[in-house]
Amino acid sequence: MNFDAYARTGVELVNARLDDLDGLRALFPDENAWMRDEVAERDLGIFRRAQKRLRDVFEYGTSGRDADAVTELNALLEAFPVQPRISGHDSSDWHMHVTSRGASVSAEYLAGAVWGLSVWLCEYGSARFGVCADERCGNVYLDTSSNCCRRFCSERCATRSHVAAHRARKRAAVGEQAVPAQPLAPVS
């Protein structure tokens, strides 16, 4: 099983726009077209609630609240239990699924996402759960940097944030030069 891929589904869910059923369908890549086809309006509320709870896990990890991240993931593991099974179409295609046959789209997707994030936390720690430092973004990410120093979800956000900070420093420097110096008060 590729636990990193399952963990990334959790990231994709937290970052998804779940305004309507079409937004939810956009969450599923082509290899999960069956999920996109089977997802229903009733799943939307389940995904939205899970999205909020998973965002909390990332915020706990980012703020050093490991115990809270673990508590929330444990509660999510109870809500979306993993029931592994072997699946495949022929003897050269055997692979693992995280839920029993016939599980709903939400049960299958969320069990995998929660399981992947739980394995990630056990392997790397909750400090590797990040929330983008660009205040205009807010996306979450898994920090795969060698020294746990990542602050942004993407190069785009990092560049945008650094350019904005540079421009703000430049404006502040120009503003300081424009302010006339105050005369010193006479010494008596």
Side-chain angles (χ1 to χ4, degrees):
M1 289 180 85
N2 184 346
F3 296 114
D4 286 353
Y6 279 116
R8 283 191 300 276
T9 63
V11 170
E12 290 163 4
L13 171 58
V14 175
N15 293 337
R17 292 191 52 119
L18 299 180
D19 299 327
D20 54 24
L21 194 54
D22 287 336
L24 179 55
R25 285 186 177 122
L27 182 62
F28 306 110
D30 288 340
E31 61 265 17
N32 289 333
W34 71 271
M35 288 182 166
R36 188 173 47 232
D37 295 340
E38 289 184 24
V39 73
E41 194 71 39
R42 71 181 181 284
D43 293 308
L44 189 56
I46 295 168
F47 273 90
R48 283 177 178 157
R49 286 187 295 280
Q51 180 184 50
K52 195 246 179 261
R53 292 178 73 183
L54 287 173
R55 175 168 289 284
D56 289 346
V57 169
F58 278 85
E59 290 177 2
Y60 295 148
T62 300
S63 63
R65 295 170 57 193
D66 294 356
D68 291 329
V70 168
T71 298
E72 188 61 35
L73 281 172
N74 278 333
L76 285 162
L77 284 168
E78 286 183 36
F80 303 103
V82 175
Q83 301 170 337
R85 68 178 171 90
I86 300 171
S87 183
H89 305 290
D90 59 49
S91 62
S92 65
D93 184 34
W94 298 121
H95 58 279
M96 295 296 295
H97 280 255
V98 295
T99 58
S100 61
R101 181 173 225 91
S104 69
V105 171
S106 56
E108 175 120 6
Y109 187 95
L110 295 170
V114 172
W115 177 252
L117 290 172
S118 298
V119 170
W120 182 275
L121 182 139
C122 291
E123 183 76 20
Y124 304 108
S126 71
R128 294 289 184 154
F129 291 172
V131 178
C132 188
D134 184 345
E135 60 195 36
R136 295 164 287 186
C137 178
N139 280 345
V140 301
Y141 60 89
L142 297 170
D143 185 350
T144 57
S145 66
S146 60
N147 57 357
C148 195
C149 65
R150 188 170 165 188
R151 296 180 44 235
F152 300 95
C153 69
S154 66
E155 285 294 321
R156 179 178 180 217
C157 281
T159 301
R160 183 174 56 202
S161 183
H162 292 124
V163 167
H166 172 76
R167 289 179 179 158
R169 284 190 305 273
K170 201 170 183 177
R171 279 192 305 273
V174 169
E176 288 172 5
Q177 292 172 359
V179 175
Q182 299 294 325
L184 296 175
V187 179
S188 25

